[in-house]
Amino acid sequence: MKRLRAAVLISGRGSNMMALAEAARASDYPVTIACVISNRPDAEGLAYAARHGIAAKLIDHREFASREGFEAALDRYLRAEAIDLIACAGFMRVLTGNFVAGWEGRMINIHPSLLPAYKGLHTHERVLADGAPEHGCTVHQVTAELDAGPIILQARVPVMPDDTPETLAARVLTEEHRIYPQALAMLARDIQAKTST
Ligand code: GRF
């Protein structure tokens, strides 16, 4: 079966993108990481992509007068690259309903909490402040409402008594790197199954 072409959207470190690129090296993985797109020039993940022979594209949101202008440029690039799937991985721009609608069912995100709990930013700090016994991460479909799309996969981790936001984030991140490649493959196989009939 033909591998689907994925774009990974990043804004920074890009460790989840690296996990996806690593998984995609397996010949039976249903997705090729065709390009990595950052909205920030200083995103460390861009250099990694370039070093690994993945198209690394900067689309700097500050060069556009409006959110719509930025999204139009992003959409043009994705379509020019014949992208089938989008994986957001630490991408720190909110996408409008209009853009999201154009990629419905083909765009996913990883979020560092057990959604629907702890939507938004600073999840590790908020979990610790609440004294919650467990935490985790979620891969979900992107919909117009932030961090609210259908859930594909989750992983749970315990919260330890001496955790700091950093130690807790590291425990969650290990699980992110494990489930994100699995979730992207699940979505790709689902789309392949639907389009092959
Ligand atoms: C991850 O914790 C992800 O869940 C969140 O932002 C962080 C990005 O890390 N959305 P990285 O850029 O993938 O290393």
Side-chain angles (χ1 to χ4, degrees):
M1 181 111 34
K2 195 172 149 280
R3 294 174 113 199
L4 299 184
R5 289 169 61 77
V8 186
L9 305 191
I10 64 167
S11 298
R13 182 176 58 183
S15 69
N16 277 291
M17 175 273 293
M18 294 172 203
L20 296 175
E22 190 61 37
R25 290 171 57 174
S27 59
D28 61 347
Y29 196 76
V31 175
T32 298
I33 306 302
C35 60
V36 171
I37 305 171
S38 172
N39 67 309
R40 299 186 57 101
D42 53 354
E44 301 92 314
L46 276 179
Y48 172 94
R51 275 202 312 277
H52 288 76
I54 302 170
K57 174 75 174 171
L58 169 66
I59 304 178
D60 189 339
H61 66 275
R62 293 168 306 183
E63 288 174 8
F64 298 87
S66 66
R67 200 172 281 276
E68 288 73 19
F70 166 72
E71 290 182 353
L74 178 58
D75 199 68
R76 261 197 310 279
Y77 182 77
L78 292 164
R79 299 197 188 275
E81 287 289 310
I83 293 303
D84 302 302
L85 290 171
I86 302 174
C88 300
F91 181 64
M92 302 304 286
R93 295 296 292 172
V94 172
L95 295 163
T96 66
N98 187 39
F99 180 91
V100 171
W103 292 92
E104 197 189 333
R106 295 187 295 144
M107 176 160 46
I108 60 176
N109 180 47
I110 184 139
H111 181 77
S113 80
L114 293 170
L115 291 173
Y118 302 102
K119 296 177 180 173
L121 297 173
H122 309 299
T123 59
H124 312 303
E125 287 83 350
R126 286 155 57 208
V127 162
L128 288 175
D130 287 353
E134 66 171 4
H135 187 28
C137 51
T138 303
V139 181
H140 64 94
Q141 300 255 9
V142 176
T143 56
E145 195 187 334
L146 195 68
D147 300 332
I151 290 171
I152 300 172
L153 271 183
Q154 289 188 310
R156 295 169 184 277
V157 302
V159 178
M160 304 298 190
D162 56 352
D163 263 335
T164 63
E166 292 72 29
T167 59
L168 184 55
R171 193 173 309 119
V172 171
L173 193 64
T174 301
E175 293 302 301
E176 294 186 33
H177 296 164
R178 186 175 66 77
I179 68 167
Y180 208 5
Q182 288 179 10
L184 181 63
M186 283 168 65
L187 177 67
R189 294 202 170 99
D190 210 44
I191 291 173
Q192 284 173 336
K194 282 182 188 139
T195 52
S196 70
T197 51

